[in-house]
Amino acid sequence: MQTYLTYVLAMPLFLGLLVYYVGKKKFKFSPLLFLSLLVLILSLAFSVHTSISRGSKDRIGNLFIANQSELQALISEKAIKERLLSPLGPELALSLHNRYVELINIISQNYLQSFGLDFLILSGDKNPRHNPANMGQIYWVGFPLIILGMIFVFNKNPKNLIFLLAWLLIGPLPSGLVGSPHAIRSSFMLPPIVIFLSAGIYFLVKMSGFKVRLFKYFLLILLF
Protein backbone atom coordinates (compact mmCIF):
# COMPACT_ATOMS: atom_id res chain seq x y z
CA MET A 1 0.00 0.00 0.00
CA GLN A 2 2.97 2.30 0.55
CA THR A 3 4.56 1.62 -2.83
CA TYR A 4 1.77 2.07 -5.38
CA LEU A 5 -1.53 3.93 -5.29
CA THR A 6 -3.73 1.17 -6.70
CA TYR A 7 -2.77 -1.20 -3.87
CA VAL A 8 -4.67 1.05 -1.47
CA LEU A 9 -7.84 -0.41 -3.03
CA ALA A 10 -6.63 -3.98 -3.55
CA MET A 11 -5.09 -4.69 -0.15
CA PRO A 12 -8.17 -4.12 2.09
CA LEU A 13 -10.15 -6.48 -0.17
CA PHE A 14 -7.35 -9.01 0.04
CA LEU A 15 -7.29 -8.78 3.84
CA GLY A 16 -10.98 -9.64 3.89
CA LEU A 17 -10.19 -12.63 1.68
CA LEU A 18 -7.47 -13.72 4.11
CA VAL A 19 -9.97 -13.63 7.00
CA TYR A 20 -12.24 -15.97 4.99
CA TYR A 21 -9.35 -18.29 4.13
CA VAL A 22 -7.94 -18.58 7.66
CA GLY A 23 -11.36 -18.76 9.27
CA LYS A 24 -12.76 -16.68 12.12
CA LYS A 25 -12.43 -19.51 14.64
CA LYS A 26 -8.64 -19.52 14.27
CA PHE A 27 -8.34 -15.89 15.36
CA LYS A 28 -7.46 -15.91 19.04
CA PHE A 29 -6.32 -12.86 20.95
CA SER A 30 -2.57 -12.81 21.51
CA PRO A 31 0.21 -10.20 21.69
CA LEU A 32 1.18 -11.13 18.11
CA LEU A 33 -2.38 -10.58 16.85
CA PHE A 34 -2.56 -7.27 18.72
CA LEU A 35 0.71 -6.07 17.19
CA SER A 36 -0.40 -7.22 13.72
CA LEU A 37 -3.67 -5.28 14.01
CA LEU A 38 -1.77 -2.23 15.27
CA VAL A 39 0.60 -2.35 12.28
CA LEU A 40 -2.37 -2.79 9.94
CA ILE A 41 -4.27 0.18 11.40
CA LEU A 42 -1.19 2.42 11.29
CA SER A 43 -0.46 1.33 7.72
CA LEU A 44 -4.02 2.05 6.61
CA ALA A 45 -3.96 5.43 8.35
CA PHE A 46 -0.68 6.30 6.66
CA SER A 47 -2.07 5.21 3.28
CA VAL A 48 -5.13 7.44 3.70
CA HIS A 49 -2.90 10.33 4.75
CA THR A 50 -0.56 9.97 1.77
CA SER A 51 -3.55 9.57 -0.57
CA ILE A 52 -4.98 12.99 0.38
CA SER A 53 -1.77 14.94 0.81
CA ARG A 54 1.27 16.09 -1.18
CA GLY A 55 -0.62 16.13 -4.46
CA SER A 56 -1.64 12.46 -4.25
CA LYS A 57 -5.31 13.45 -4.03
CA ASP A 58 -5.05 15.24 -7.38
CA ARG A 59 -3.16 12.26 -8.80
CA ILE A 60 -5.93 9.83 -7.75
CA GLY A 61 -8.61 12.19 -9.03
CA ASN A 62 -6.96 12.51 -12.43
CA LEU A 63 -6.47 8.77 -12.78
CA PHE A 64 -10.04 7.75 -11.95
CA ILE A 65 -12.09 7.21 -15.13
CA ALA A 66 -15.02 9.30 -13.91
CA ASN A 67 -12.74 12.35 -13.63
CA GLN A 68 -11.00 12.10 -17.02
CA SER A 69 -12.42 15.04 -18.97
CA GLU A 70 -11.74 13.69 -22.48
CA LEU A 71 -13.28 10.33 -21.68
CA GLN A 72 -16.27 11.96 -20.02
CA ALA A 73 -16.89 14.01 -23.16
CA LEU A 74 -16.82 10.87 -25.31
CA ILE A 75 -19.16 9.06 -22.89
CA SER A 76 -21.67 11.91 -22.91
CA GLU A 77 -21.56 12.13 -26.71
CA LYS A 78 -22.08 8.38 -27.08
CA ALA A 79 -24.97 8.35 -24.59
CA ILE A 80 -26.73 11.19 -26.44
CA LYS A 81 -26.36 9.47 -29.83
CA GLU A 82 -27.64 6.14 -28.52
CA ARG A 83 -30.56 7.89 -26.83
CA LEU A 84 -31.56 9.61 -30.07
CA LEU A 85 -31.27 6.42 -32.14
CA SER A 86 -32.99 4.19 -29.59
CA PRO A 87 -36.42 2.79 -30.65
CA LEU A 88 -37.47 2.76 -26.99
CA GLY A 89 -39.52 5.45 -25.33
CA PRO A 90 -37.81 8.60 -24.01
CA GLU A 91 -37.92 7.56 -20.36
CA LEU A 92 -36.62 4.02 -20.99
CA ALA A 93 -33.97 5.30 -23.40
CA LEU A 94 -32.83 7.80 -20.77
CA SER A 95 -32.51 5.08 -18.13
CA LEU A 96 -30.56 2.73 -20.44
CA HIS A 97 -28.39 5.26 -22.27
CA ASN A 98 -26.71 7.68 -19.88
CA ARG A 99 -23.21 8.48 -18.68
CA TYR A 100 -23.49 6.26 -15.61
CA VAL A 101 -24.40 3.15 -17.60
CA GLU A 102 -21.64 3.90 -20.12
CA LEU A 103 -19.15 4.42 -17.29
CA ILE A 104 -20.02 1.05 -15.71
CA ASN A 105 -19.73 -0.57 -19.14
CA ILE A 106 -16.23 0.89 -19.69
CA ILE A 107 -15.03 -0.12 -16.22
CA SER A 108 -16.37 -3.66 -16.77
CA GLN A 109 -14.64 -3.93 -20.15
CA ASN A 110 -11.35 -2.65 -18.73
CA TYR A 111 -11.58 -5.15 -15.89
CA LEU A 112 -12.39 -8.14 -18.12
CA GLN A 113 -9.62 -7.25 -20.59
CA SER A 114 -7.08 -8.03 -17.84
CA PHE A 115 -8.07 -11.70 -18.21
CA GLY A 116 -8.06 -11.65 -22.01
CA LEU A 117 -5.59 -13.50 -24.21
CA ASP A 118 -4.51 -10.23 -25.82
CA PHE A 119 -3.26 -8.80 -22.52
CA LEU A 120 -1.93 -12.01 -20.97
CA ILE A 121 -0.39 -13.76 -23.99
CA LEU A 122 -0.50 -11.85 -27.30
CA SER A 123 0.27 -8.14 -26.87
CA GLY A 124 0.39 -7.29 -23.16
CA ASP A 125 -0.43 -3.73 -22.17
CA LYS A 126 1.51 -2.46 -25.23
CA ASN A 127 3.85 -0.45 -23.01
CA PRO A 128 7.49 -1.23 -23.94
CA ARG A 129 8.53 -0.53 -20.35
CA HIS A 130 6.35 -3.39 -19.07
CA ASN A 131 6.68 -6.16 -21.65
CA PRO A 132 8.73 -6.98 -24.79
CA ALA A 133 7.29 -6.02 -28.16
CA ASN A 134 4.84 -8.48 -29.75
CA MET A 135 4.52 -10.42 -26.53
CA GLY A 136 2.04 -10.63 -23.68
CA GLN A 137 2.59 -10.48 -19.94
CA ILE A 138 3.18 -14.25 -19.65
CA TYR A 139 4.63 -16.88 -21.97
CA TRP A 140 1.95 -18.50 -24.13
CA VAL A 141 3.20 -21.96 -23.18
CA GLY A 142 2.39 -21.07 -19.59
CA PHE A 143 -1.34 -20.88 -20.34
CA PRO A 144 -1.97 -24.68 -20.48
CA LEU A 145 0.25 -25.08 -17.43
CA ILE A 146 -1.93 -22.59 -15.52
CA ILE A 147 -5.02 -24.66 -16.41
CA LEU A 148 -3.27 -27.83 -15.24
CA GLY A 149 -2.24 -26.02 -12.08
CA MET A 150 -5.83 -25.03 -11.34
CA ILE A 151 -6.91 -28.68 -11.73
CA PHE A 152 -4.08 -29.83 -9.49
CA VAL A 153 -4.87 -27.28 -6.75
CA PHE A 154 -8.59 -28.16 -6.92
CA ASN A 155 -7.84 -31.87 -6.48
CA LYS A 156 -5.60 -31.15 -3.50
CA ASN A 157 -7.80 -28.59 -1.73
CA PRO A 158 -10.81 -26.81 -3.33
CA LYS A 159 -10.61 -24.05 -0.70
CA ASN A 160 -7.11 -23.18 -1.93
CA LEU A 161 -8.46 -22.85 -5.47
CA ILE A 162 -11.25 -20.52 -4.31
CA PHE A 163 -8.73 -18.41 -2.41
CA LEU A 164 -6.32 -18.11 -5.35
CA LEU A 165 -9.10 -17.42 -7.89
CA ALA A 166 -10.55 -14.71 -5.63
CA TRP A 167 -7.07 -13.21 -5.29
CA LEU A 168 -6.79 -13.27 -9.08
CA LEU A 169 -10.16 -11.50 -9.42
CA ILE A 170 -9.13 -8.77 -6.95
CA GLY A 171 -5.88 -8.03 -8.80
CA PRO A 172 -7.18 -6.05 -11.83
CA LEU A 173 -9.88 -4.08 -9.95
CA PRO A 174 -7.73 -0.93 -9.55
CA SER A 175 -6.68 -1.07 -13.20
CA GLY A 176 -10.33 -1.31 -14.29
CA LEU A 177 -11.20 1.86 -12.38
CA VAL A 178 -8.27 3.75 -13.89
CA GLY A 179 -8.18 2.66 -17.53
CA SER A 180 -7.14 -0.13 -19.86
CA PRO A 181 -5.12 -3.17 -18.66
CA HIS A 182 -1.82 -2.07 -17.15
CA ALA A 183 0.97 -4.42 -16.08
CA ILE A 184 2.00 -2.47 -12.98
CA ARG A 185 -1.49 -1.53 -11.80
CA SER A 186 -2.57 -5.16 -12.22
CA SER A 187 0.62 -6.64 -10.75
CA PHE A 188 -1.31 -8.03 -7.78
CA MET A 189 -2.53 -10.70 -10.24
CA LEU A 190 1.01 -12.04 -10.56
CA PRO A 191 1.37 -14.20 -7.38
CA PRO A 192 -1.67 -16.46 -8.02
CA ILE A 193 -0.68 -16.78 -11.70
CA VAL A 194 2.84 -17.87 -10.69
CA ILE A 195 1.41 -20.32 -8.13
CA PHE A 196 -0.93 -21.89 -10.71
CA LEU A 197 1.85 -22.10 -13.30
CA SER A 198 4.23 -23.67 -10.77
CA ALA A 199 1.54 -26.16 -9.70
CA GLY A 200 1.05 -27.07 -13.37
CA ILE A 201 4.77 -27.75 -13.82
CA TYR A 202 4.81 -29.80 -10.60
CA PHE A 203 1.79 -31.77 -11.83
CA LEU A 204 3.57 -32.61 -15.10
CA VAL A 205 6.82 -33.56 -13.39
CA LYS A 206 5.00 -35.96 -11.07
CA MET A 207 3.15 -37.72 -13.91
CA SER A 208 4.54 -41.17 -14.70
CA GLY A 209 4.72 -43.36 -17.79
CA PHE A 210 7.07 -43.35 -20.80
CA LYS A 211 4.75 -41.46 -23.17
CA VAL A 212 3.87 -38.98 -20.47
CA ARG A 213 7.57 -38.35 -19.76
CA LEU A 214 8.18 -37.67 -23.44
CA PHE A 215 5.23 -35.27 -23.52
CA LYS A 216 6.22 -33.34 -20.44
CA TYR A 217 9.87 -33.02 -21.50
CA PHE A 218 8.71 -31.80 -24.91
CA LEU A 219 6.39 -29.24 -23.28
CA LEU A 220 8.76 -28.04 -20.58
CA ILE A 221 12.05 -28.00 -22.52
CA LEU A 222 11.31 -27.49 -26.22
CA LEU A 223 8.30 -25.18 -25.97
CA PHE A 224 9.78 -23.01 -23.23
Side-chain angles (χ1 to χ4, degrees), residues 160-173:
N160 288 344
L161 179 66
I162 294 172
F163 172 72
L164 291 171
L165 287 176
W167 183 349
L168 193 61
L169 292 173
I170 290 172
L173 275 174

Side-chain angles (χ1 to χ4, degrees), residues 4 41 51 63 68 72 88 108-109 113 115 121 141 146 150 160 164 168 176-177 181 193-194 206 219 222:
Y4 206 74
I41 292 170
S51 297
L63 282 174
Q68 297 175 13
Q72 284 301 308
L88 305 172
S108 301
Q109 288 182 9
Q113 284 174 6
F115 300 100
I121 295 175
V141 70
I146 290 172
M150 289 181 178
N160 288 344
L164 291 171
L168 193 61
L177 293 173
I193 288 177
V194 171
K206 287 296 181 180
L219 181 66
L222 182 61

Side-chain angles (χ1 to χ4, degrees), residues 4-209:
Y4 206 74
L5 278 173
T6 51
Y7 279 82
V8 176
L9 173 62
M11 287 309 299
L13 296 174
F14 181 68
L15 290 173
L17 178 62
L18 280 178
V19 171
Y20 155 77
Y21 181 71
V22 174
K24 294 180 181 179
K25 294 182 180 179
K26 294 184 180 180
F27 281 100
K28 296 181 179 180
F29 182 80
S30 66
L32 180 61
L33 178 60
F34 174 77
L35 289 174
S36 300
L37 290 174
L38 182 61
V39 170
L40 173 62
I41 292 170
L42 292 175
S43 181
L44 284 171
F46 185 70
S47 296
V48 172
H49 171 71
T50 54
S51 297
I52 61 176
S53 64
R54 295 180 296 177
S56 295
K57 184 178 181 181
D58 295 334
R59 169 70 172 161
I60 294 174
N62 292 332
L63 282 174
F64 184 44
I65 285 178
N67 296 330
Q68 297 175 13
S69 56
E70 292 184 4
L71 182 60
Q72 284 301 308
L74 291 174
I75 290 175
S76 298
E77 184 180 349
K78 182 181 179 183
I80 292 172
K81 285 183 179 179
E82 290 180 348
R83 206 177 302 156
L84 292 173
L85 296 173
S86 176
L88 305 172
E91 294 184 0
L92 190 56
L94 183 62
S95 61
L96 293 177
H97 303 291
N98 55 66
R99 60 189 301 269
Y100 301 106
V101 173
E102 293 295 335
L103 187 63
I104 293 172
N105 184 37
I106 291 175
I107 292 174
S108 301
Q109 288 182 9
N110 291 340
Y111 174 79
L112 293 175
Q113 284 174 6
S114 296
F115 300 100
L117 293 180
D118 185 57
F119 174 66
L120 290 177
I121 295 175
L122 299 177
S123 304
D125 65 358
K126 301 177 178 65
N127 188 329
R129 293 178 296 176
H130 301 157
N131 61 285
N134 301 317
M135 181 177 172
Q137 301 302 143
I138 63 173
Y139 294 116
W140 62 267
V141 70
F143 187 73
L145 291 173
I146 290 172
I147 303 300
L148 286 176
M150 289 181 178
I151 297 172
F152 177 78
V153 172
F154 175 77
N155 289 333
K156 288 293 182 180
N157 190 336
K159 187 176 181 180
N160 288 344
L161 179 66
I162 294 172
F163 172 72
L164 291 171
L165 287 176
W167 183 349
L168 193 61
L169 292 173
I170 290 172
L173 275 174
S175 180
L177 293 173
V178 169
S180 57
H182 189 280
I184 306 302
R185 293 170 189 157
S186 301
S187 57
F188 200 49
M189 296 173 64
L190 188 58
I193 288 177
V194 171
I195 291 171
F196 283 134
L197 195 146
S198 303
I201 293 176
Y202 179 81
F203 176 74
L204 279 181
V205 169
K206 287 296 181 180
M207 291 173 69
S208 60

